[in-house]
Structure formats: C-alpha cells, structure tokens
Amino acid sequence: MKPVWNPMKKTITSTLHPLLAAAALALGALSAQAATVNFSGVTDSGALTGAAFSGSFSYADPAPDDGSVLLDSFTLDFDGFTYTLLGEDMPSQAYFLGGQFIGVDYADADSFSTGVALTAGFLELSEAFFSYTPARGDAGYGSFTEFTRVPEPGSAALLLAGLGLLGAARRRQA
C-alpha cells in the first residue's frame, strides 16, 4: 500500500482504501447467504426397516449461536414420496446450540399415506432422529448417516470476487 500525503487535511491516506473496502464488503456479504444442507439416513425399526431417506433444506445464514431459524426450503424423499414445506404441520426450523447445528424439526403427518418427522437433537446432532408412521404396519425410527453443508454458488462467486479485489490491491502495492 502506498501512503499518500494530503497537504490540505494534513493526513496520510491510502490509495487502495476503496478497493479494500469493496473487498471487505464482498467477503462480508458471504454471511448473508443461505446455507444448504443435504442429509441422508436409514430406518432401523418398524414396518419399513432398512428403507433409505434423503433430502435437503436451506436457511438464512448466519444462523444464531443458540436457538432456531426458520427453513427457507425443505425436501425429503422417503417411501416413494417427496415431502416439502407445503405439507408441513408446523413451521420447520433448524436448531443451533453453542454455534453448532443440532438438527431440524419438520413434521408432515397427513400429506401421504406415511407420516414423517425429523426431530433435532437436544444437545448435539447425534441425538437427532427421523420417525415415520405408515398407514399400515408399525411406526419406526431412523438414524441419520450424513449431514453435509453445500457451498452456495453465490457464496463462491462472492468469495472469488473478494479475493480478486484483494489480489488487485496487492498488485497495486508493488
């Protein structure tokens, strides 16, 4: 960074200040993006033991350190059906404790012949579970095998733009 003397104000300023500010804004905008999470699991009890389930959801990020945030989108594929926010029985939410994701609450008991629910953990993600109630047969539970956060394309573009601005600022320094 090359300092510039301003004799009128009797101060030294940087010629790169606008570029660095733009880079900081671009990088700061990353926190206003949506977080998308893919999940999967398998049922381990009930009439549909061994059946796989999978889906995804998104929420506004940054999420709270403690508490919940409403889901912006949700899909769950199970037993030949796709469940979404349109069929939810109550507002679906992602939960956090100490800044850590501990699960999602979602319930749809009446859209299809099999009612489903995802329940967040009480203190940690390993306590989260899936449950289902078929029209015929025993109800059951399932365990999650994966929760994977997916980078948003907009986040990656903003990150690259911010890094490009920082690179341009470094080149001007030399």
Side-chain angles (χ1 to χ4, degrees):
M1 204 168 2
K2 202 177 214 182
V4 176
W5 173 251
N6 184 336
M8 298 299 287
K9 294 184 180 179
K10 296 183 182 177
T11 60
I12 296 177
T13 59
S14 167
T15 57
L16 298 179
H17 178 55
L19 277 177
L20 291 176
L25 285 174
L27 291 173
L30 289 173
S31 62
Q33 297 294 310
T36 299
V37 177
N38 293 335
F39 63 89
S40 61
V42 64
T43 59
D44 40 36
S45 66
L48 301 172
T49 298
F53 60 90
S54 63
S56 66
F57 58 89
S58 66
Y59 56 87
D61 198 27
D65 282 342
D66 292 315
S68 65
V69 62
L70 291 174
L71 298 184
D72 295 328
S73 68
F74 178 88
T75 61
L76 166 67
D77 294 318
F78 177 67
D79 194 29
F81 300 105
T82 298
Y83 299 83
T84 67
L85 289 180
L86 293 175
E88 68 185 350
D89 295 339
M90 60 185 181
S92 300
Q93 302 178 58
Y95 285 89
F96 301 85
L97 182 63
Q100 297 296 310
F101 172 70
I102 58 172
V104 170
D105 279 358
Y106 171 86
D108 183 345
D110 51 13
S111 290
F112 303 109
S113 61
T114 301
V116 297
L118 278 70
T119 305
F122 185 68
L123 296 174
E124 58 188 45
L125 182 58
S126 65
E127 299 168 338
F129 64 94
F130 170 79
S131 60
Y132 68 94
T133 306
R136 295 179 186 203
D138 294 333
Y141 296 94
S143 302
F144 292 97
T145 56
E146 179 181 25
F147 277 98
T148 306
R149 187 171 170 153
V150 179
E152 292 290 321
S155 297
L158 282 174
L159 179 61
L160 289 174
L163 291 174
L165 287 172
L166 287 174
R170 286 293 281 172
R171 278 195 302 274
R172 285 193 68 184
Q173 268 184 348

